[in-house]
Amino acid sequence: MRLCEVLQFGENLWAVDRIGLSGGLLLMWKDDVKVRVDSSSPGHIVAEVAGKGFLPWTLTCFYGNPDAAQHMPRDTWFVVVCGGL
C-alpha cells in the first residue's frame, strides 16, 4: 500500500524523485485543500495553497545538503534569491 493511501491523502500528492540515494520531496494534502504547484526541482517545491475559510497562500519547501560547501542547484537558488518561479 502506498504511503499516501496509508495516511489517507488519496491521490493528492506531488513528488520530486530523489537523485541517487539522497533527496526527494513529497507534498501531500487532504481533499478539502486545493494545491497548485507552480515550480519544482530536486531542491524545491513552490505551490499555492487554497481552501475554504482561508485566503490562498504560497508554500515554499526546500531540501538541501546540510553541508554548506555543497552547491545548491541553480533553479533552487533562483527561487531563494528572486522568489522566481
Side-chain angles (χ1 to χ4, degrees):
M1 185 175 265
R2 292 175 25 172
L3 178 62
C4 59
E5 293 167 351
V6 171
L7 297 176
Q8 299 178 356
F9 283 96
E11 294 299 318
N12 299 328
L13 66 95
W14 183 269
V16 178
D17 290 337
R18 65 182 182 186
I19 298 174
L21 297 176
S22 64
L25 294 167
L26 179 62
L27 176 62
M28 296 186 294
W29 59 92
K30 295 285 188 172
D31 286 333
D32 58 342
V33 175
K34 303 295 180 213
V35 174
R36 182 189 74 217
V37 175
D38 294 321
S39 73
S40 67
S41 76
H44 83 280
I45 297 174
V46 176
E48 181 180 276
V49 180
K52 192 173 186 177
F54 63 89
L55 295 173
W57 53 280
T58 301
L59 171 68
T60 305
C61 308
F62 286 98
Y63 171 83
N65 192 317
D67 180 357
Q70 299 294 323
H71 296 288
M72 186 180 297
R74 183 179 306 268
D75 51 353
T76 300
W77 180 247
F78 182 73
V79 171
V80 171
V81 173
C82 304
L85 302 175

